[in-house]
């Protein structure tokens, strides 16, 4: 009888409750042994919409780990990099945080998605697993975990540097904004607007488009009427490229400005090199040719994966290098000691000189570059 | 007894489960339980009520977000916030359900999917929801003496909520409300004609789904203590959909099995991201292809396959003779029960009914005949409320009922059968009768929460009545069978029994003899006469002239949407217009082959 079945559950539960009184899961012993390979987890989206980001991260981190392993590992112990797929989903992220804890990973690289990292932060903090993330949202700092480190500047830094260059240095005050309503675009919108308002600049236009929009003629026509001196774009690579291309078709000649996506080859290809000319880019890693270190990294990357290195791989490479350096300097410490070692690590990386503060941010500047003759060139001075 | 033992074993196992799990596994289980609750809610809306609801993940999000906002921004306690969050999801659920009043099936899917996307977009951009960074720092729910920050103890909280929600869901499905929803899912038109308030039922389905979604969201907020737009994105909606489809959407237990199964598959593949997507997609495809009823449908399929291989066991169900009703002595024959007044029904260029007037007296058996396409079924559809007449009025039992919804007419005492059988295919014969017999109002469903015992008592009474009906129509042995599996003649009889079970004053029979053999037609005449003797007025559309001439006291003849004759069978048969239009040849042919007309 179905009705009996339904009502029978509750008394049975009560019975079982009285039978087992002690709370389960009281013993939480950490199995972080002092021999065998050093287990490091890489958590990133390997499937779903953000998987390309995850793939770049993995390549950068893998390159660093392989270099260390080839040189004999850390204190003679090999480094084992285990890959976990968070699918860009915070819930899955929390599960993976428990998983890497229970499997005895002593540190974590990733994720590229700030929301996933924020979701994982409390669990990793409780488990005392240091985490070097590629996320750059200010919310990561707000999470307030002493085990959370960023492998690049926060997104506010990108836009602060950009606003400084455009407004303070170039003296451009008539600025139009076009951003999308996705998480990246929204973050860019807020950060750049904040940077502008701190300089008492009000954008002449503030247009928001959707993430999957393909035709921007309406918003661009509106912007053209305002006659701005520069147009800020806060969107991913392809969409930014489309916006620039369509703007040129409408006869808009003023330069565009934006953060890292506008410095990528994907952006250049979509927009067309001629259309993208003079685009102002704020990025901690302008190109593979900016320094000797980046040239060496790019060559190794190309040799290993047969493709050109880019920002995300470079960030993950830097983050992994910092972690491994800290492991070496701390004699393979774990938990709080390892976190302190990371905080104490001074590292000259591809993105610049890392020196972590209490908030977990190690780098506080980006570089400004402009696209000239189809190439991103650093602006000096 | 066996189910109870199984259940007890399951409960004990669930209670002892955490003792064997590490902190990672218990977290997985905690997340699975939340998804199971969501899947039950989606199963109620999609599987039971047939409402394609792709906004369940948004409702889930609303529950979690409202809890997060109220605890972190407004400083409310967790439980107060939880109650308010569930109330908010109820409101959202009703809003999401509104389109269901106008569109159904995949159109509804698209609309609800759009709403789900709108939700993600809104929380990404709104200030209150913390934008893309979401809201962190949701406080641990407090329970005196229990530290819910431990995921082991949180498991018990979830387990209890889950058990109550599953039990409540099963309770709904197996009693009046759920039966009506399933009837509506199988055939909304027929359900309406039997008095099921289709709009109210659809809203109730969305309401139930959103309560489950909201509770899932509250538990999520308490467990993860962080909300972000990505947690409630479309990928998770399809994961949820996959759980419900794999488990078997028509069974709540199946939905739970699907949720647990798919979540475990996903968990097992976390270490193998390269093959995860393929493997996960393959599982969904394999289930859809090889087990369309989901995992929950497998035992039934296996059992029937085994039975087929062994050959039929035991005696097949037999049709028993019909037991006539006791004649109702206090019948008030002669009063007008139905008056159709100059009704015209126009379909674009086609005038299906042209100025038709008709008066039926209580206690009559009225025949409506005419060539195919003469407007007979259209007339029935106008009378029973499926069509609104272009012009003219319909009065039923001294009240103007023109354009009333079918369920209102049904509740006023009108019942009908359909030309091309509209039995509820996935309900048993007995449940078909129960749906008709059930005259309670859907808005009275608050009893499910506050007076469950009275719901049970009423349901038991309904079952007794249904048994009586089945016995009378000789259908008792078919009670537990699916109507689809029955011979055509028996299905016809079930439909008549169902229409009469609704307790009508006026019964419309649309070609009840179509497809019946001679003996079955004779039994049909006997049944219809007895139904009339019990005090029910009958109007019958029929092509079988022999039946019409012997059974009906008066006959109305339609041709080309107009009434060309009206009178006793003998009078009608002599009318020249009738002979010309219709009867000329077929009087001698006796039995015209039934040609199915389009009912709508």
């Amino acid at each position: 009888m179905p009705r009996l079945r339904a009502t029978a559950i509750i008394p049975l539960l009560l019975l079982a409750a009285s039978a087992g009184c002690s709370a389960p899961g009281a013993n939480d012993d950490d199995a972080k042994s002092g021999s065998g390979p050093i287990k490091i987890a890489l958590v990133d989206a390997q499937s779903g919409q953000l998987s390309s980001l995850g793939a770049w991260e993995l390549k950068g981190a893998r390159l660093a780990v392989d270099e260390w392993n080839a040189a004999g590992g850390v204190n003679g112990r090999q480094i084992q990099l285990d890959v976990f797929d968070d699918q860009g989903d915070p819930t899955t992220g929390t599960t993976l945080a428990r998983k890497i804890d229970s499997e005895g990973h002593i540190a974590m690289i990733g994720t590229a998605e700030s929301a996933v990292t924020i979701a994982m932060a409390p669990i990793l903090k409780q488990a005392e697993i240091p985490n070097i993330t590629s996320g750059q949202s200010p919310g990561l700092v707000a999470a307030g975990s002493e085990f959370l480190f960023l492998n690049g500047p926060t997104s506010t830094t990108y836009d602060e540097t950009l606003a400084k260059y455009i407004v303070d240095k170039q003296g451009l005050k008539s600025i139009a904004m076009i951003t999308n309503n996705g998480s990246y675009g929204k973050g860019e919108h807020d950060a750049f607007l904040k940077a502008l308002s701190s300089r008492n600049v009000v954008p002449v236009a503030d247009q928001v488009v959707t993430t999957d929009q393909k035709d921007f003629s309406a918003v661009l026509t509106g912007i053209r009427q305002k006659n701005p001196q520069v147009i800020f774009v806060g969107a991913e690579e392809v969409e930014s490229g489309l916006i620039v291309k369509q703007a040129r078709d409408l006869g808009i000649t003023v330069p565009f400005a934006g953060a890292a996506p506008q410095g990528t080859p994907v952006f250049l290809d979509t927009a067309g090199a001629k259309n993208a000319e003079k685009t102002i880019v704020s990025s901690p890693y302008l190109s593979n040719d900016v320094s000797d270190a980046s040239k060496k990294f790019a060559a190794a990357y190309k040799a290993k994966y047969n493709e050109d290195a880019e920002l995300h791989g470079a960030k993950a490479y830097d983050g992994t290098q910092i972690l491994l350096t800290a492991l070496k300097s701390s004699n393979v410490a774990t938990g709080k000691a390892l976190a302190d070692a990371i905080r104490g690590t001074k590292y000259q990386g591809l993105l610049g000189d890392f020196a972590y503060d209490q908030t977990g941010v190690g780098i506080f500047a980006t570089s400004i570059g402009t696209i000239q003759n189809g190439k991103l060139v650093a602006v000096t001075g | 007894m066996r189910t109870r033992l199984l259940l007890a074993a399951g409960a004990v196992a669930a209670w002892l489960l955490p003792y064997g799990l590490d902190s990672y596994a218990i977290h997985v289980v905690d997340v699975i339980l939340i998804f199971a609750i969501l899947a039950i809610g989606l199963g109620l809306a999609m599987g039971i009520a047939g409402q394609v609801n792709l906004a369940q993940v948004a409702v889930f999000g609303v529950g979690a977000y409202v809890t997060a906002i109220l605890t972190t921004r407004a400083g409310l306690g967790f439980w107060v916030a939880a109650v308010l969050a569930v109330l908010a999801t109820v409101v959202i659920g009703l809003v999401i359900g509104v389109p269901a009043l106008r569109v159904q099936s995949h159109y509804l899917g698209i609309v609800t999917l759009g709403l789900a996307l709108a939700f993600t977009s809104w929380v990404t951009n709104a200030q209150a929801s913390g934008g893309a960074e979401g809201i962190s720092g949701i406080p641990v729910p407090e329970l005196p003496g229990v530290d819910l920050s431990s995921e082991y103890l949180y498991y018990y909280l979830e387990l209890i909520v889950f058990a109550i929600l599953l039990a409540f869901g099963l309770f709904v499905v197996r009693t009046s409300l759920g039966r009506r929803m399933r009837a509506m899912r199988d055939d909304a038109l027929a359900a309406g004609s039997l008095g099921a308030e289709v709009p109210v039922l659809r809203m109730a389905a969305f309401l139930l789904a959103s309560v489950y979604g909201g509770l899932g969201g509250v538990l999520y907020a308490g467990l993860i203590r962080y909300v972000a737009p990505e947690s409630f994105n479309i990928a998770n909606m399809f994961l949820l959909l996959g759980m419900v489809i794999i488990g078997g959407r028509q069974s709540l237990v199946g939905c739970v099995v699907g949720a647990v199964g798919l979540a475990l598959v996903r968990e097992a593949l976390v270490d193998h991201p390269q093959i995860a997507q393929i493997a996960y997609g393959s599982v969904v495809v394999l289930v859809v292809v090889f087990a369309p009823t989901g995992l929950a449908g497998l035992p039934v399929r296996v059992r029937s396959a085994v039975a087929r291989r062994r050959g039929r066991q035991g005696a097949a169900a037999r049709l028993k003779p019909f037991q006539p009703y006791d004649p109702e002595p206090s019948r008030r024959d002669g009063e007008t029960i139905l008056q159709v007044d100059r009704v015209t029904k126009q379909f674009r260029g086609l005038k299906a009914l042209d100025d038709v007037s008709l008066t039926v007296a209580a206690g009559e058996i009225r025949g409506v005949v005419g060539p195919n396409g003469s407007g007979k079924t259209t007339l029935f559809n106008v009378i029973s409320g499926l069509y609104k007449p272009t012009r003219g009025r319909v009065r039923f039992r001294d009240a103007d009922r023109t354009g009333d919804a079918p369920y209102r007419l049904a509740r006023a005492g009108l019942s009908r059968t359909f030309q091309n059988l509209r039995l509820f295919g996935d309900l048993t014969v007995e449940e078909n009768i129960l749906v008709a017999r059930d005259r309670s109002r859907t808005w009275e469903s608050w009893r499910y929460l506050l007076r469950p015992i009275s719901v049970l008592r009423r349901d038991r009474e309904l079952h007794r009545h249904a048994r009586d009906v089945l016995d009378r129509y000789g259908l008792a042995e078919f009670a537990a069978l699916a109507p689809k599996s029955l011979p055509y003649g028996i299905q016809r009889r079930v439909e008549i029994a169902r229409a009469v079970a609704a307790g009508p004053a006026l019964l419309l029979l649309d070609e009840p003899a179509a497809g019946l053999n001679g003996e079955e037609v004779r039994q049909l005449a006997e049944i219809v006469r007895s139904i009339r003797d019990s005090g029910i007025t009958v109007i019958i559309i029929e092509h079988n002239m022999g039946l019409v001439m012997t059974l009906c006291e008066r006959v109305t003849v339609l041709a080309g949407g107009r009434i060309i004759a009206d009178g006793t069978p003998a009078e009608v048969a002599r009318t020249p217009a009738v002979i010309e239009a219709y009867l000329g040849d077929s009087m001698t042919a006796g039995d015209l082959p039934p040609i199915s007309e389009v009912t709508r």
Side-chain angles (χ1 to χ4, degrees), chain B residues 481-562:
Chain B
L481 298 179
K484 278 184 288 195
S485 66
L486 303 180
Y488 194 73
I490 295 174
Q491 290 190 42
R492 282 269 174 215
R493 191 183 277 200
V494 172
E495 207 190 16
I496 293 175
R498 185 179 75 174
V500 177
L506 175 64
L507 176 64
L508 309 180
L509 300 174
D510 196 348
E511 296 197 24
L516 300 189
N517 61 35
E519 170 58 17
E520 285 170 336
V521 172
R522 195 196 59 73
Q523 290 170 357
L524 174 70
E526 182 198 336
I527 290 172
V528 173
R529 269 200 206 94
S530 173
I531 289 171
R532 192 270 306 270
D533 290 344
S534 74
I536 299 173
T537 312
V538 180
I539 308 180
I540 179 168
I541 292 178
E542 206 24 85
H543 275 301
N544 185 327
M545 281 305 137
L547 180 66
V548 172
M549 293 301 166
T550 54
L551 189 61
C552 303
E553 280 115 21
R554 285 182 77 86
V555 177
T556 302
V557 187
L558 280 171
R562 295 175 147 275

Side-chain angles (χ1 to χ4, degrees), chain A residues 2-3 22 91 98 113, chain B residues 19 151 174 220 230 266 456:
Chain A
R3 275 170 254 116
S22 68
T91 316
R98 299 278 178 194
E113 176 68 19
Chain B
Y19 290 88
E151 298 204 344
R174 288 164 195 211
Y220 180 88
E230 283 84 0
R266 208 165 84 122
L456 278 181

Side-chain angles (χ1 to χ4, degrees), chain A residues 201-254:
Chain A
V201 173
V202 179
V204 294
D206 184 359
Q207 299 281 1
V208 176
V209 295
T210 64
T211 48
D212 45 8
Q213 202 164 325
K214 296 284 176 287
D215 177 29
F216 307 94
S217 47
V219 285
L220 287 170
T221 310
I223 287 175
R224 189 177 57 184
Q225 282 162 0
K226 297 279 169 25
N227 210 8
Q229 294 167 300
V230 63
I231 302 171
F232 173 81
V233 180
E236 287 80 358
E237 288 86 352
V238 173
E239 189 169 24
S240 298
L242 287 174
I243 290 172
V244 171
K245 189 167 188 290
Q246 292 179 21
R248 298 293 181 239
D249 291 346
L250 284 169
I252 298 176
T253 54
V254 295

Side-chain angles (χ1 to χ4, degrees), chain B residues 388-439:
Chain B
K388 257 193 182 77
T390 315
R391 272 191 302 282
R393 322 292 310 166
V394 178
R395 291 180 66 79
F396 173 57
R397 289 180 122 180
D398 296 326
D400 190 344
R401 293 281 178 186
T402 320
D404 266 12
Y407 70 86
R408 288 185 198 281
L409 278 154
R411 290 184 175 275
L414 192 138
S415 192
R416 69 169 292 179
T417 66
F418 294 87
Q419 187 177 357
N420 39 9
L421 285 176
R422 283 175 168 269
L423 290 168
F424 305 122
D426 286 332
L427 272 62
T428 64
V429 169
E430 187 187 16
E431 285 173 324
N432 265 276
I433 307 286
L434 281 167
V435 169
R437 181 75 225 173
D438 186 358
R439 301 274 91 187

Side-chain angles (χ1 to χ4, degrees), chain B residues 263-585:
Chain B
L264 288 178
V265 168
R266 208 165 84 122
E267 215 49 58
L269 292 174
V270 149
D271 296 342
H272 312 281
Q274 307 85 358
I275 60 158
Q277 290 286 303
I278 298 168
Y280 162 65
S282 316
V283 170
V284 175
V285 171
L286 285 177
V287 168
V288 170
V289 172
F290 292 106
T293 47
L295 296 177
L298 276 184
V300 177
R301 287 161 67 92
V302 168
R303 228 177 290 145
S304 69
V306 169
R308 231 177 297 136
R309 182 154 303 178
R310 284 191 195 153
R312 253 175 212 284
Q313 293 179 318
R318 274 172 302 122
L319 184 65
K320 299 264 177 58
F322 170 75
Q323 297 162 14
Y325 288 97
D326 298 327
E328 172 71 40
S330 60
R331 277 159 49 199
R332 298 194 296 176
D333 287 2
E335 286 174 23
T336 300
I337 187 165
L338 177 77
Q339 193 178 8
V340 177
D341 189 18
R342 310 198 63 179
V343 161
T344 298
K345 177 68 194 173
Q346 191 124 21
F347 294 105
R348 303 253 162 84
L350 177 78
K351 234 177 204 178
L353 291 177
D354 187 4
D355 211 20
V356 169
S357 294
L358 181 77
T359 306
V360 179
E364 207 180 312
I365 299 182
R366 169 67 62 100
V368 176
V369 300
N372 285 324
S374 60
K376 304 183 298 291
T377 295
T378 307
L379 178 64
F380 265 25
N381 286 346
V382 167
I383 294 173
S384 60
L386 293 181
Y387 291 161
K388 257 193 182 77
T390 315
R391 272 191 302 282
R393 322 292 310 166
V394 178
R395 291 180 66 79
F396 173 57
R397 289 180 122 180
D398 296 326
D400 190 344
R401 293 281 178 186
T402 320
D404 266 12
Y407 70 86
R408 288 185 198 281
L409 278 154
R411 290 184 175 275
L414 192 138
S415 192
R416 69 169 292 179
T417 66
F418 294 87
Q419 187 177 357
N420 39 9
L421 285 176
R422 283 175 168 269
L423 290 168
F424 305 122
D426 286 332
L427 272 62
T428 64
V429 169
E430 187 187 16
E431 285 173 324
N432 265 276
I433 307 286
L434 281 167
V435 169
R437 181 75 225 173
D438 186 358
R439 301 274 91 187
S440 63
R441 310 296 298 255
T442 300
W443 56 261
E444 282 172 4
S445 300
W446 54 264
R447 286 165 191 272
Y448 275 89
L449 270 185
L450 302 180
R451 303 184 56 195
I453 303 297
S454 86
V455 173
L456 278 181
R457 200 180 305 130
R458 215 184 49 206
D459 215 58
R460 221 167 300 154
E461 203 163 311
L462 278 178
H463 273 276
R464 217 172 44 237
H465 280 295
R467 280 276 154 198
D468 289 347
V469 173
L470 289 172
D471 282 338
R472 184 173 296 281
Y473 283 82
L475 296 164
E477 291 185 14
F478 301 99
L481 298 179
K484 278 184 288 195
S485 66
L486 303 180
Y488 194 73
I490 295 174
Q491 290 190 42
R492 282 269 174 215
R493 191 183 277 200
V494 172
E495 207 190 16
I496 293 175
R498 185 179 75 174
V500 177
L506 175 64
L507 176 64
L508 309 180
L509 300 174
D510 196 348
E511 296 197 24
L516 300 189
N517 61 35
E519 170 58 17
E520 285 170 336
V521 172
R522 195 196 59 73
Q523 290 170 357
L524 174 70
E526 182 198 336
I527 290 172
V528 173
R529 269 200 206 94
S530 173
I531 289 171
R532 192 270 306 270
D533 290 344
S534 74
I536 299 173
T537 312
V538 180
I539 308 180
I540 179 168
I541 292 178
E542 206 24 85
H543 275 301
N544 185 327
M545 281 305 137
L547 180 66
V548 172
M549 293 301 166
T550 54
L551 189 61
C552 303
E553 280 115 21
R554 285 182 77 86
V555 177
T556 302
V557 187
L558 280 171
R562 295 175 147 275
I563 291 182
I564 56 168
D566 191 282
T568 63
E571 286 165 10
V572 165
R574 282 196 302 272
T575 309
V578 174
I579 297 166
E580 187 191 330
Y582 178 51
L583 291 178
D585 301 332

